[in-house]
C-alpha cells in the first residue's frame, strides 16, 4: 500500500507534479513548505520517487539542478483525487530526455506561477497551489485549440473577495515577435468562438437553437490575458511589446480588447516586485503601468 499522507505534503507534492508537469526541488519547497527546512522537502520527494510516483533528471548546465516530474503511475494515482478529477492532465513527459529538453520553458512557467502564489501569501489574498493550472485545453473547432501556458484563479481579499482569472502566456524569446503577437489573434478567435449547434440543445420561440461563445460554459467573464516575457533584455521586451501593440491595432481585435484586459510584463520585474506591483504595461498604451489585478473589464 502506498504511504502517501492523505491531505498532507506527499499528496500535494504529487498533485503539483501531475498538474505543473515539472518543478525544481527549490520550487517545490517554496510551494508546499516554505516555512521549514528544505531537507524535509528533499526527503518527501525521495520517498515519492522510491514509491515510483515521481522521477527526476539532473541538469548539468544549471548547477546540477534536480528537476522532478510525475511518472505515468503517479499521474494515474493523482488523477483519481477530487482536486484533479475534473481537470484534463497535460500531456505526460514520457522520459528523462524529453524532460531535459523541455525543462527550460516548463520551469519558467512554474516560476511564474510561484510569483503569483507568493504574492498572494504576502497580501493575504487566496491563491492556492492548485489554482495555477498549466495547459488548459480550449477548443476552437476544426481540431484547433487555444492552450495557454497556464490558467490562474486568484481571489482578492478586498473588493468583496473578487475572483480574478487570467490566461498566462510565457515567452522566453525562443520565437520571433510576430509569432508571439499572433497569439493575440488566436485569443480573439477564442473570445468569439461559438460551437456548431448540436442536436437536443434548447431552442428559442422562433425555433432557433440558443448559441453562445464556448468560453461562457467555464467563466462568467473572459479571463485577462497576461504575457510574461523572459530571456531578453529591456530592448527585446520593448520590441515584443511593439509587435503585440501592432497586432492589437487591427480592426478584427477591437471588440476583444474592449472586453478583455491584455497586459505584458518582464518576468524579472514580477520576481523582483511581485505581480500585484505596477509592472504590467497595457497593450494599447505601453507607457501606462498597472498591477495585473487593478485592470478590470469595462
Amino acid at each position: 500500500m502506498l504511504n502517501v499522507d492523505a491531505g498532507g505534503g506527499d499528496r500535494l507534492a504529487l498533485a503539483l507534479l501531475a498538474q505543473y508537469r515539472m518543478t525544481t526541488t527549490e520550487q517545490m519547497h517554496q510551494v508546499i513548505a516554505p516555512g521549514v527546512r528544505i531537507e524535509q522537502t528533499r526527503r518527501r520527494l525521495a520517498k515519492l520517487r522510491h514509491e515510483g510516483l515521481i522521477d527526476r533528471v539532473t541538469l548539468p548546465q544549471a548547477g546540477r539542478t534536480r528537476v522532478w516530474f510525475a511518472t505515468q503511475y503517479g499521474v494515474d494515482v493523482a488523477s483519481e483525487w477530487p482536486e484533479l478529477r475534473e481537470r484534463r492532465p497535460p500531456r505526460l513527459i514520457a522520459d528523462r530526455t524529453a524532460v531535459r529538453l523541455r525543462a527550460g520553458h516548463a520551469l519558467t512557467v512554474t516560476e511564474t506561477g510561484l510569483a503569483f502564489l507568493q504574492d498572494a501569501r504576502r497580501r493575504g489574498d487566496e491563491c492556492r497551489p492548485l489554482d495555477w493550472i498549466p495547459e488548459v485545453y480550449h477548443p476552437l473547432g476544426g481540431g484547433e485549440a487555444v492552450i495557454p501556458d497556464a490558467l490562474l484563479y486568484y481571489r482578492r481579499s478586498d473588493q468583496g473577495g473578487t475572483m480574478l482569472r487570467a490566461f498566462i502566456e510565457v515567452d522566453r524569446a525562443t520565437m520571433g515577435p510576430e509569432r508571439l503577437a499572433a497569439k493575440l489573434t488566436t485569443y480573439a478567435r477564442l473570445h468569439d468562438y461559438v460551437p456548431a449547434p448540436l442536436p437536443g440543445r434548447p431552442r428559442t420561440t422562433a425555433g432557433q437553437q440558443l448559441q453562445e461563445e464556448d468560453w461562457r460554459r467555464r467563466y462568467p467573464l473572459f479571463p485577462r490575458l497576461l504575457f510574461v516575457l523572459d530571456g531578453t533584455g529591456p530592448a527585446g521586451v520593448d520590441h515584443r511589446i511593439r509587435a503585440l501593440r501592432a497586432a492589437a491595432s487591427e480592426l478584427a481585435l477591437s471588440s476583444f480588447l474592449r472586453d478583455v484586459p491584455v497586459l505584458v510584463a518582464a518576468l524579472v520585474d514580477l520576481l523582483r516586485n511581485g505581480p500585484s506591483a505596477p509592472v504590467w504595461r497595457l497593450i494599447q498604451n505601453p507607457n501606462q503601468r498597472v498591477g495585473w489585478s487593478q485592470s478590470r473589464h469595462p
Side-chain angles (χ1 to χ4, degrees), residues 1-278:
M1 180 179 233
L2 290 177
N3 185 22
V4 176
D5 54 333
D10 289 1
R11 181 181 178 120
L12 179 57
L14 178 56
L16 282 172
L17 288 175
Q19 181 162 297
Y20 285 25
R21 298 180 59 183
M22 63 181 80
T23 74
T24 65
T25 306
E26 176 65 24
Q27 287 173 335
M28 177 65 75
H29 180 67
Q30 290 301 319
V31 172
I32 68 173
V36 302
R37 293 170 60 86
I38 196 171
E39 284 75 14
Q40 179 174 317
T41 299
R42 292 193 179 106
R43 289 195 296 270
R44 189 183 306 281
L45 293 170
K47 172 187 173 184
L48 294 174
R49 186 185 184 216
H50 177 74
E51 292 170 335
L53 295 163
I54 68 174
D55 205 348
R56 74 185 186 204
V57 297
T58 301
L59 303 180
Q61 72 275 23
R64 299 194 62 78
T65 297
R66 287 180 173 176
V67 178
W68 298 88
F69 60 99
T71 63
Q72 182 65 65
Y73 177 41
V75 170
D76 291 342
V77 170
S79 295
E80 293 300 317
W81 295 340
E83 58 266 41
L84 295 182
R85 192 174 296 151
E86 299 301 321
R87 297 178 181 176
R88 176 173 175 167
R91 288 176 298 176
L92 182 70
I93 301 175
D95 55 49
R96 291 181 175 87
T97 299
V99 170
R100 178 176 57 82
L101 293 175
R102 302 177 68 175
H105 184 265
L107 293 178
T108 303
V109 172
T110 299
E111 191 71 12
T112 304
L114 181 58
F116 282 95
L117 179 62
Q118 292 175 321
D119 201 41
R121 289 170 176 167
R122 289 191 295 265
R123 295 169 55 84
D125 295 336
E126 182 181 340
C127 182
R128 296 162 295 184
L130 295 179
D131 289 335
W132 178 263
I133 313 173
E135 298 186 7
V136 179
Y137 185 92
H138 296 79
L140 278 176
E144 294 186 84
V146 175
I147 307 176
D149 286 322
L151 168 65
L152 170 68
Y153 287 89
Y154 188 106
R155 188 178 297 278
R156 294 189 58 165
S157 59
D158 58 357
Q159 298 181 356
T162 302
M163 171 62 76
L164 305 175
R165 302 165 187 83
F167 292 132
I168 314 293
E169 286 289 341
V170 176
D171 173 60
R172 300 177 59 240
T174 56
M175 65 176 68
E178 291 74 19
R179 284 186 59 194
L180 173 65
K183 292 188 176 185
L184 200 58
T185 306
T186 305
Y187 279 97
R189 289 176 58 199
L190 177 63
H191 179 262
D192 296 336
Y193 170 63
V194 177
L198 293 176
R201 282 195 173 183
R203 295 178 179 270
T204 66
T205 55
Q208 297 177 336
Q209 285 194 340
L210 295 172
Q211 297 182 46
E212 63 179 9
E213 294 85 354
D214 189 65
W215 61 264
R216 295 186 187 277
R217 296 184 300 107
R218 308 188 191 194
Y219 316 112
L221 293 172
F222 196 90
R224 292 160 167 79
L225 177 54
L226 309 180
F227 288 93
V228 177
L229 307 183
D230 191 33
T232 185
V237 168
D238 289 341
H239 188 37
R240 285 171 138 61
I241 291 176
R242 285 196 298 270
L244 287 166
R245 186 181 183 187
S249 66
E250 297 180 8
L251 182 61
L253 298 179
S254 58
S255 62
F256 168 65
L257 292 175
R258 282 198 303 267
D259 295 339
V260 181
V262 181
L263 308 172
V264 59
L267 178 59
V268 64
D269 292 333
L270 267 63
L271 299 179
R272 181 187 302 119
N273 302 299
S276 60

